[in-house]
Amino acid sequence: VAAIGSQEAEKKYESLLNNLSHPPAFTTVRVNTYLASVEHIRGLLCEEIHKQYASLSVPVLQHPQLPDILLIPVIGPRSDLQKLANEAIVGAQCGSAVLRGAHVYAPGIVSASKFMRAGDLVSVYSDIEGKCKRGAKEFLGTKVFIGNGISELSRSEIFNSNGPLKGLGIKMIEPIYLSPSFDNLLPSYLFLQNLPSAVVSYVLNPQPGERILDMCAAPGGKTTHLATLMHDEGEVIALDKIADKVKKIKQNASSLKLNCIKTFCYDGTKALEISKRADGQEGPPFVPESFDRILLDAPCSGMGQRPNMAFSWSLKEVTSYQPLQRRLFSVTLETSTIMIYSAVFSCVLESAEILYYLLDWIILTPHCQIISLQLCRREGMIGAGLSPEQLKQLQRFDPSEAVLQPMDLNSLQSVKHEDLIRLANKDCIGFFIAKFIKV
């Protein structure tokens, strides 16, 4: 606040909260170039979107700096939708998924009108405060309208079922934000991924035949991207300390037909072994300098994810990740010569301490340098107390800087291609990237 002024800081915070409640301006999807060309998959995707959008013409753009990334403009928010008498309430997480193009699956439904039947038109609302009681026939608390759909199940089928709920609950036909659904759409060829997450892999720049470590890898988006950029040649070691998350990494690697990924359920803070390893030991812990490059996408609060209409973090929670981030960072720089540190962020509070730690570490470690980044260039983080030179060495994507404006088909036709790309680089999730190299 001292750096940018209290009034400006307050305006920036209000802008941040407003922007976080809306989805990014584009749906970002990565093409698995190990299996097919971008041109071929882009053609198939255009055909599918044409079907989903009832022949409406929506462009699919290829990112000029990230050649395997395709961008689909998000249409909305739509103001012409009529709210219906039949209502269904979904959880905040489900509501966020709907705002990014998903249908409503049965486990996400918290409440439904008393006489809702299969086949009924229903208005869908998100319970952003998590206060709706499961099975309620009416909810008068805080809720946000996210569109209309057709119920696939009756109220009794949803709430009187003996077994676990599965499958589609409501098919969205009039979402307030129009984004394509990727349910079972070319699963071996397309992977939904936020734009800054794709930037990370390009900045690390893995090469075929190298040995790469992804320290906190789940669910595997960056892991599989690294393997793809390496043409599935070499070795990508993926760690996560939660078994179910490791299983998800394996599933994503299998779906994309990538074979160079090896997964281990292991705590990254214990991944360094100073003494000699046993002969033939493949997994962690690792001796120093075991890898050509390392990615540390550090655990964080995830405050920069979008959309997010429920802000429930405490100060203690926001700052609780910093000790873990520091421990992981220390381990990482001992096991490789090139390293990327990244995290989802939305506020200086969460990022400032780790930034100071990283830069102090560089000052005290002369053989290590921080590398200036140029890809989708956005400098530093004003308000963290960093000098202009330090800011130039860091990269961030800041949702508070995006100017939200409704997007419709008519306005799309008049916007230049380069302006759309510029908007995609700016109107995305909050993210921070730094690159280090030992010399």
Side-chain angles (χ1 to χ4, degrees):
V1 171
I4 64 175
S6 59
Q7 287 187 335
E8 185 179 345
E10 186 174 340
K11 287 172 63 178
K12 188 176 179 68
Y13 182 67
E14 289 176 356
S15 174
L16 172 66
L17 293 185
N18 181 52
N19 289 6
L20 286 177
S21 67
H22 296 265
F26 291 80
T27 297
T28 309
V29 62
R30 172 165 57 84
V31 176
N32 181 7
T33 52
Y34 176 63
L35 295 182
S37 70
V38 175
E39 293 76 12
H40 176 62
I41 299 304
R42 180 175 175 272
L44 296 177
L45 181 57
C46 286
E47 291 177 7
E48 178 61 32
I49 292 176
H50 195 67
K51 293 177 189 174
Q52 289 191 25
Y53 286 10
S55 301
L56 296 177
S57 179
V58 176
V60 177
L61 312 175
Q62 183 177 8
H63 198 289
Q65 293 175 285
L66 314 171
D68 58 356
I69 295 299
L70 298 177
L71 304 165
I72 303 107
V74 174
I75 307 301
R78 301 159 74 187
S79 58
D80 59 339
L81 301 184
Q82 182 181 354
K83 296 177 182 179
L84 308 171
N86 257 346
E87 293 184 2
I89 309 297
V90 301
Q93 188 173 358
C94 178
S96 294
V98 170
L99 290 177
R100 296 203 72 170
H103 296 295
V104 176
Y105 283 81
I109 302 175
V110 180
S111 164
S113 295
K114 184 175 182 180
F115 299 109
M116 190 181 83
R117 299 166 300 181
D120 280 355
L121 287 171
V122 295
S123 283
V124 182
Y125 295 82
S126 178
D127 172 24
I128 61 173
E129 296 180 346
K131 294 184 177 180
C132 181
K133 185 177 179 181
R134 179 167 176 78
K137 297 173 183 176
E138 186 179 31
F139 178 59
L140 301 178
T142 303
K143 58 188 179 183
V144 176
F145 176 64
I146 55 177
N148 297 322
I150 299 174
S151 177
E152 300 287 316
L153 301 169
S154 67
R155 174 186 164 82
S156 60
E157 289 174 312
I158 296 170
F159 298 112
N160 296 335
S161 174
N162 294 324
L165 284 171
K166 294 181 180 179
L168 191 62
I170 299 171
K171 183 177 181 180
M172 299 301 298
I173 59 170
E174 292 180 335
I176 196 166
Y177 281 98
L178 186 60
S179 297
S181 171
F182 283 86
D183 292 344
N184 297 314
L185 175 59
L186 302 171
S188 292
Y189 300 95
L190 292 174
F191 193 94
L192 282 169
Q193 188 168 29
N194 287 305
L195 186 139
S197 298
V199 170
V200 168
S201 299
Y202 276 99
V203 170
L204 187 59
N205 192 27
Q207 300 299 307
E210 288 186 334
R211 191 169 192 239
I212 312 293
L213 173 63
D214 190 348
M215 182 75 88
C216 303
K222 299 177 190 69
T223 307
T224 55
H225 196 191
L226 294 171
T228 303
L229 293 176
M230 296 164 63
H231 311 303
D232 205 32
E233 297 174 11
E235 187 175 62
V236 180
I237 302 293
L239 303 185
D240 204 279
K241 67 178 184 178
I242 299 175
D244 284 345
K245 291 186 175 182
V246 173
K247 187 184 296 183
K248 185 63 176 176
I249 301 171
K250 290 181 178 178
Q251 290 171 351
N252 283 327
S254 176
S255 175
L256 296 171
K257 315 296 183 189
L258 296 166
N259 300 307
C260 74
I261 296 171
K262 296 180 180 178
T263 59
F264 297 93
C265 187
Y266 203 82
D267 183 349
T269 63
K270 302 174 182 177
L272 178 64
E273 176 63 71
I274 302 299
S275 60
K276 187 177 179 180
R277 285 159 42 105
D279 290 340
Q281 181 182 337
E282 188 178 40
F286 306 106
V287 295
E289 311 298 335
S290 297
F291 296 91
D292 297 292
R293 304 167 199 261
I294 291 184
L295 168 61
L296 171 56
D297 188 41
C300 57
S301 71
M303 282 181 68
Q305 290 289 358
R306 295 174 62 194
N308 198 328
M309 294 177 284
F311 303 100
S312 58
W313 303 281
S314 65
L315 176 62
K316 182 178 180 181
E317 182 180 0
V318 169
T319 58
S320 66
Y321 293 92
Q322 293 159 359
L324 173 58
Q325 291 168 347
R326 292 196 297 268
R327 291 200 302 273
L328 288 167
F329 178 77
S330 299
V331 169
T332 301
L333 276 176
E334 291 294 333
T335 49
S336 176
T337 56
I338 301 175
M339 174 224 171
I340 290 289
Y341 178 92
S342 66
V344 176
F345 92 97
S346 65
C347 66
V348 171
L349 173 66
E350 183 173 12
S351 308
E353 190 199 8
I354 191 65
L355 288 177
Y356 288 131
Y357 177 81
L358 298 182
L359 294 169
D360 285 346
W361 199 95
I362 294 299
I363 293 170
L364 297 172
T365 314
H367 65 280
C368 191
Q369 295 180 358
I370 185 168
I371 304 301
S372 182
L373 304 177
Q374 300 299 326
L375 196 61
C376 300
R377 190 80 185 102
R378 300 204 57 73
E379 291 178 1
M381 207 174 305
I382 296 172
L386 305 177
S387 71
E389 285 305 309
Q390 288 172 328
L391 287 172
K392 289 178 182 178
Q393 293 176 310
L394 307 171
Q395 184 165 4
R396 61 93 176 89
F397 297 83
D398 187 351
S400 68
E401 293 186 352
V403 178
L404 293 183
Q405 49 192 1
M407 191 177 296
D408 57 42
L409 293 172
N410 291 329
S411 63
L412 268 179
Q413 310 307 319
S414 60
V415 181
K416 295 179 181 178
H417 179 273
E418 56 268 29
D419 290 334
L420 288 173
I421 298 299
R422 195 175 295 114
L423 178 60
N425 288 343
K426 198 169 186 177
D427 192 344
C428 55
I429 68 169
F431 211 79
F432 162 74
I433 308 171
K435 184 175 183 177
F436 302 87
I437 187 168
K438 289 182 183 176
V439 295

